[in-house]
Amino acid sequence: MKNRAGFLLILTALTGCQMLKPPEPAEPPLSAEEFMTKYDENLDGRISTDEFDGRLRVFVALDLDNDSYIEADEAPDVWPPVQ
């Protein structure tokens, strides 16, 4: 009985600490300029599929002129999109 009470006390303390832990701060969304800076690794002014670490279907949706690159005029105003 004593061991069970001690176990429950420890378990309660541990789970209570988890609940009080503040959430990880979310990164603020990127502007179009910040998006280009983050993903344009070779600094050629456009983002290729090799540079973009997101899903291919997202890349295709952003590549408005279908030239296999995301240029500054195709960069989203806010990234990730605010829901």
Side-chain angles (χ1 to χ4, degrees), residues 4-83:
R4 183 174 179 194
F7 173 76
L8 290 176
L9 180 62
I10 291 171
L11 183 61
T12 302
L14 289 175
T15 55
C17 291
Q18 292 292 333
M19 292 172 58
L20 296 177
K21 183 179 175 183
E24 294 292 323
E27 291 185 27
L30 301 176
S31 67
E33 184 177 329
E34 293 166 330
F35 176 85
M36 292 301 294
T37 300
K38 178 177 180 175
Y39 292 108
D40 182 18
E41 296 173 358
N42 63 3
L43 305 176
D44 65 353
R46 56 192 192 169
I47 300 167
S48 68
T49 55
D50 291 336
E51 295 170 308
F52 187 69
D53 66 1
R55 295 178 183 239
L56 181 59
R57 66 185 174 106
V58 174
F59 183 93
V60 169
L62 293 173
D63 180 19
L64 300 176
D65 60 6
N66 298 314
D67 66 350
S68 300
Y69 295 96
I70 300 171
E71 287 95 3
D73 63 330
E74 297 171 313
D77 294 331
V78 177
W79 185 259
V82 176
Q83 309 214 357

